Amino acid sequence: ISRSKRGGNPAPIHQRMGQIYLDLKSDKEAELSFKRCIDMASDQGIRQRCEEGIADVALLRGNPNASISQLDNVQRSYPIDSVSIA
């Protein structure tokens, strides 16, 4: 997927592909898609969802401690705005 041919950011596509691979229990492909998303994302929300996807990959691999650690990193990187929750 090329930015110049499509004129947009392919990060959301990689985020969606990562979710599909998770549903298929394909951890390596999911992780690769989420990492590509993180590298390409210009939108903070998409990047956050892809970083959360990395936590889901760790959980799929049977490593809940790595999943929790990744989610802790996400929480530190993307603090919740109390105004936006309301």
Side-chain angles (χ1 to χ4, degrees):
I1 300 172
S2 169
R3 287 181 194 219
S4 60
K5 290 182 182 178
R6 297 284 182 192
N9 186 343
I13 300 289
H14 288 290
Q15 189 264 332
R16 181 70 180 120
M17 288 172 55
Q19 288 296 235
I20 291 168
Y21 284 128
L22 276 177
D23 291 344
L24 294 172
K25 310 282 189 245
S26 298
D27 61 315
K28 290 179 184 177
E29 291 86 355
E31 181 178 38
L32 182 59
S33 291
F34 288 131
K35 285 183 176 182
R36 285 181 179 157
C37 172
I38 292 165
D39 289 342
M40 296 177 179
S42 57
D43 180 87
Q44 179 177 320
I46 292 171
R47 183 180 295 115
Q48 179 179 347
R49 286 191 296 276
C50 290
E51 290 185 20
E52 290 169 356
I54 297 292
D56 292 336
V57 169
L59 197 56
L60 177 63
R61 290 177 174 163
N63 193 342
N65 291 333
S67 181
I68 291 169
S69 177
Q70 176 65 18
L71 290 173
D72 285 342
N73 290 335
V74 170
Q75 186 176 15
R76 280 191 295 277
S77 297
Y78 305 98
I80 296 173
D81 180 358
S82 60
V83 175
S84 68
I85 295 173

